[in-house]
Amino acid sequence: MLENLAEKRRVLIVLGVFVALGVITPFLDLFMQSLVTEILVFGILAMSLDLLLGFTGLASLGHAAYFGVASYTTAIIMTKEDWTWTFAAFQWADSLGLGLFYIFIFALIVATAFAAFFGFLAIRAVGVYFLMITLSLAMVIWGLAYRWSAVTEGDNGINVLGRPSLFGLSLESEMPFFYFTLAVFLICLGLMYMFVRSPFGKTLVGIREREERMQMLGYNIWLHKYLAFIIAGVFSGVAGVMWTLFNLFVSPPDIELITSAEALFMVALGGPATLIGPVIGSAIIRSLQQFISIYVERWPLILGAIYIITIMLGRLYGVEGILGLFSKFRKPAAPSETPEG
Amino acid sequence: MTTLSFANILVLSYNSLSYAAILFLLASGLSLIFGVMRIVNLAHAAFFLFAGYLALEFYNIIFGSLSLMPRIIQLVSWALLYFAWRGLTLYIAPKHAALALLLAYIVMEVLCSLIWSFRFFELFFPHVPVKPVDRINFPGMMAAIVVALTIAALCGMFIERFFLRLLGQDTLAQVLVTIGFAFILQDGSLYTWGGDNFMLKQPWPLNFSAVVGGLSLPQYRGFMIVIAVVVAAALFLGIERTRLGAIMRAAVDDPEMARGIGINTNVVQMSIFAIGALLAATGGVVGGAFFGVYPGLDFEILPYAFAVVIIGGLGSLGGAVLGSIVVGFIENFGTALFPELSYFALFAPMAIILAIKPTGLFGKG
């Protein structure tokens, strides 16, 4: 499968980094442990957006919608006692040690349904229209979370008491939950990696590069984009479930425009179409947020300034994200042997 | 579902039209900027909110007890910073100048907090504790509008000249930079004026309701409609009938030829951006007495502006008029008929129109 030697080395490096992360994290303090877990959760979100932005070339500014749907679904099925049948089903699954599977299946089905519906509305739009319509749809989800207080508790948010156990293994303390997150993260990374290397993923790159040509070759552009949109939505839903389980609290500010924009920025910062780049972006943004929030409470102001400075510098020096920076230093002047065309 | 009487329908239509008026002021700027420069300005609604706060502070200065001093200090600080930058870049490279200024800033911040227990940062962003003002008159409101519009337009020009122009036609970069400015404007407003929900007062002749045939119609809503109609007419005549408008259209259609015959397209683009910010700011000041002014208003109203331009099509004035009327009616009637579903009621027609015509009814693609 990994015919390319450089590719094999890259995969090994990435795996080595995550093994090292798994070894080092138990020795860190509690603050750092939860920071690493948070980075992984947002890493899943950013990677899922990379499927759309980097590989398919669709800039979605509403990716927090599926994240939000899944995280709210998780919180609701775990706490809503007056919805007897969902709550009873959850209790039953939890007593068997399968509570997490129940949550994942249920929340991902809901997220998939929303992604399928929203994708159906949005995929026809092109360019900036796509951006605007995804943003608007994400604001609909935010509006539901904020206004439909019978279900979502409105502005107060939903407090989740405790995590369900995994086959009787308690995930309550930081370390077991970190390993669980790492496992989920690696599964997602592996699945997405296989996805982008599959013929389907290659077709998406083809659509990003030259849509008309792919159409001429007989590919169904709409269907490919639509499926990519849904798959990205599902992975975003995984991140949403993990977020509720991690934070044990979900409220409307978690899923507003700033989250979608942050995810977009993580991708742009790390390097689009690299999968691992967005994780680096997530690490940078989340660490900055945690450390800056200690000193000043004006995080959005600083975030805005970081956006502007990084994007301006990146564009002025012609660098595509941090991974782009690497490759720029690696190959100082690769002479192009064949003319473009 | 409730049934509506005829009188209810009339009042709702009046409300819808006034809501559409504010939406038009907001969305026409968005549409104009896109039509000319192909930029989706996500900071657009932030100008709307920012102008509302500016008007609020201006009312406080005229009718309240607020002093102008913090603003003068702020202006002087920013001006000094600007001249320091100009002076430094004469002698050293810009990146070294930026580093030097950053270091100087950190040193001053530490010095100020150690010696005078004062945040150096507050010279540039002072806290101004505003409060609702009871008394407001029409000339005061007009003056507030002029001041807020000028400042917002200057901000727009600044963003265009020093940031967006350098980016070229890179949609993702434009989106991230404008959203960065949206965050800065939003959070800066929250820092400066606090998180309270303010309602701008309506000036004297407008704060009553006219009673027409047994229906009570608030006059301020009529005023909003009048403003929107005047602005729409001015925009239409300005673009279609004047020499300036012809220059603008030429710069849009074929920038290279326009430059070839001596049109300075850079100035055209900058003024377009200023006009867009100005339109949003008009909406913000006029709408501040209607929506109120509070943090988060900008991102709440942005989807409505997007719905308008998606329905009407980006870059078309007629589309903005039609789109805002459609959205205004759907929003008001939707809220009255199905209160929980009003958000969905708004986006359903948007989806249908996109399914039929992906660039909106009058869109240019």
Side-chain angles (χ1 to χ4, degrees), chain A residues 193-250:
Chain A
Y193 184 67
M194 270 152 61
F195 175 75
V196 299
R197 286 177 64 84
S198 69
F200 190 88
K202 301 283 183 208
T203 315
L204 290 181
V205 175
I207 291 174
R208 180 193 72 192
E209 290 300 321
R210 195 67 64 84
E211 192 169 323
E212 294 82 1
R213 188 176 288 179
M214 295 305 279
Q215 197 156 22
M216 288 297 287
L217 289 172
Y219 288 97
N220 187 339
I221 305 288
W222 185 88
L223 191 65
H224 275 82
K225 281 185 180 175
Y226 184 53
L227 288 177
F229 192 91
I230 295 176
I231 290 165
V234 174
F235 282 111
S236 169
V238 174
V241 175
M242 292 310 294
W243 171 246
T244 303
L245 292 176
F246 164 69
N247 203 24
L248 296 176
F249 175 66
V250 51

Side-chain angles (χ1 to χ4, degrees), chain A residues 289-301:
Chain A
Q289 171 170 29
Q290 291 297 338
F291 288 114
I292 288 176
S293 300
I294 298 174
Y295 300 105
V296 276
E297 75 251 49
R298 301 255 70 91
W299 168 242
L301 193 80

Side-chain angles (χ1 to χ4, degrees), chain B residues 32-33 37 39 41 43-44 47 152-153 155-160 164 178 268-278:
Chain B
L32 187 72
I33 291 174
M37 301 165 67
I39 289 176
N41 181 15
H44 199 67
F47 283 125
C155 284
M157 283 165 87
F158 171 78
I159 291 177
E160 200 282 328
L164 293 175
T178 51
V268 172
Q269 290 192 344
M270 202 153 86
S271 23
I272 291 289
F273 215 86
I275 293 171
L278 203 141

